[in-house]
Amino acid sequence: MLRPVLLALAVAALGCLTGCRRAAPWQATDWRPASPPQRIVAASVLATETLLAIAPRERLAGVHVLAADARYSLVADEAKGLPLVGADPEQLLAARPDLVVCDAFTRPETLALLAAAGVPVVQTATPTSFGDIAANLRRIGAVCWLQAPAEALVAQMEQRLAALAAHAGECASWRVASLDGALHTYGRGSLFDAMVGAAGARNLAGERGVGPFRKLDVETVLGWQPDALVLGGADAADGEQPAWLAQQPGLALLPCAQRARYVRIPSPLLATTSHRLVDAAARLQDALRQWGRP
C-alpha cells in the first residue's frame, strides 16, 4: 500500500538531493525534538540495546529484526513481543514513527525517503573506542529525552572500565589476537582493539600494523606467535578448541594452541557496539588473570 506514496517521496527526495541539499534540522549534533518522542523506532542493534536499557518499553514502536535474533543481539529475549522492522523504508514508515534511530550503515535512499516523509532520523556514529560508545549513548539519550538514564548507563560503563583498569597490569604482558575460521582479525581503529586495551592486554594485530580489519594467512599467524586467541562463536568454555581449527592444521603448531589458550566470547558480545562491550573486556581479563603469565 505504501509503494505509490514511497515512489512520490522518492521523486521528491531525489529532487532535494540533486537540488539545494539543505540539511534536515535533525542532522545537527545538538538537535532534539521539541517534545519527548512517543513512537521511537530503534533501527539498529545498537539503538535497540541502548533503548531497551533506558526507555519505557511502551515508547518503542519497533526494533530492528536482527535485535530479536540471538545470533546477532544481546537483547533478543527482551525484544520479544515488540514490532520488528527491517531496513526498508516501507517497514520503517509502517511503524508510524515520530523518531528513527539508526546507524551509519543505513542506506542514503532510506534516509532521504524518511526525510521526505518528515520523519526525524538520527544516526549514531561508528565507534572505535569506549569514548565513542559513550557519545552514542548520550546522543540517543538526548534525542529521546532520556538524558538521565543514558548518563547513568555511561556512568555504569565507566565504573566497570575503572574496575578493569585496576587489574590491567596483571595482563600487560599478554599479546592476544582475534581470529575466526576465515582467519579474519581486527587491529587499530577497531572496537576489538579498544576492548583488549580495556582488559590491559596488547592487541597483536594492532602492534603489527593491521588496521580495523584484515584477512590473514596461516603463515602470518604462525609468525606472530600470539599468546592467546580470542574467538567468537557459541558460548563455549574458555580453553575449548574451536571446531574450525582442524581445518587449519598449521595453527596447531602455535604454542597458544598447544596450551589451549583460547578465550571464547559469544559472537553477539564480541560484535556489540554498545555499553555491553565492557562485558567482553571483563571476560578477556578474567581468562588472562586465571592463566597468570603467558
Side-chain angles (χ1 to χ4, degrees):
M1 292 295 181
L2 285 172
R3 287 289 180 179
V5 176
L6 286 172
L7 181 58
L9 290 175
V11 174
L14 182 60
C16 180
L17 287 173
T18 57
C20 60
R21 294 183 179 271
R22 288 185 299 176
W26 48 80
Q27 291 179 307
T29 55
D30 59 350
W31 176 88
R32 73 170 183 166
S35 59
Q38 300 301 314
R39 294 191 58 81
I40 307 168
V41 169
S44 69
V45 175
L46 166 60
T48 305
E49 289 185 6
T50 302
L51 287 168
L52 282 174
I54 67 174
R57 191 176 179 89
E58 60 270 17
R59 289 179 62 186
L60 295 179
V63 300
H64 197 284
V65 63
L66 291 182
D69 190 329
R71 294 173 298 175
Y72 308 104
S73 169
L74 297 169
V75 293
D77 288 341
E78 298 172 57
K80 289 179 179 177
L82 289 169
L84 303 180
V85 300
D88 292 335
E90 297 98 322
Q91 297 181 42
L92 297 172
L93 289 172
R96 297 182 292 110
D98 54 7
L99 176 68
V100 173
V101 182
C102 60
D103 59 26
F105 300 102
T106 303
R107 297 195 304 268
E109 56 268 30
T110 297
L111 299 175
L113 286 168
L114 292 174
V119 177
V121 186
V122 171
Q123 287 182 279
T124 53
T126 301
T128 61
S129 68
F130 281 98
D132 292 342
I133 291 175
N136 278 335
L137 297 180
R138 291 183 170 116
R139 176 71 167 143
I140 293 173
V143 298
C144 296
W145 286 61
L146 294 166
Q147 296 96 317
E151 199 60 46
L153 203 59
V154 171
Q156 291 171 16
M157 181 183 74
E158 291 177 341
Q159 289 168 6
R160 295 204 58 201
L161 288 171
L164 291 174
H167 298 283
E170 300 174 43
C171 304
S173 58
W174 282 91
R175 302 172 307 119
V176 306
S178 62
L179 212 60
D180 61 18
L183 301 188
H184 297 138
T185 196
Y186 300 89
R188 297 290 185 197
S190 68
L191 276 182
F192 177 80
D193 190 63
M195 183 270 290
V196 171
R202 297 157 55 191
N203 180 13
L204 188 52
E207 291 186 351
R208 294 300 181 104
V210 173
F213 175 82
R214 183 185 296 177
K215 179 178 174 62
L216 304 176
D217 53 44
V218 172
E219 291 76 12
T220 297
V221 180
L222 289 174
W224 284 2
Q225 295 284 296
D227 301 316
L229 294 177
V230 180
L231 311 173
D235 192 4
D238 288 340
E240 181 177 327
Q241 178 175 303
W244 55 261
L245 191 67
Q247 301 172 9
Q248 303 283 356
L251 295 182
L253 299 174
L254 287 171
C256 66
Q258 295 168 3
R259 301 178 69 190
R261 295 300 196 233
Y262 308 119
V263 182
R264 303 298 293 258
I265 299 179
S267 294
L269 181 57
L270 193 59
T272 187
T273 59
S274 78
H275 57 287
R276 302 283 291 271
L277 187 66
V278 72
D279 295 335
R283 190 171 181 130
L284 174 60
Q285 187 183 83
D286 287 346
L288 299 182
R289 291 179 65 198
Q290 287 175 16
W291 288 332
R293 298 187 62 81

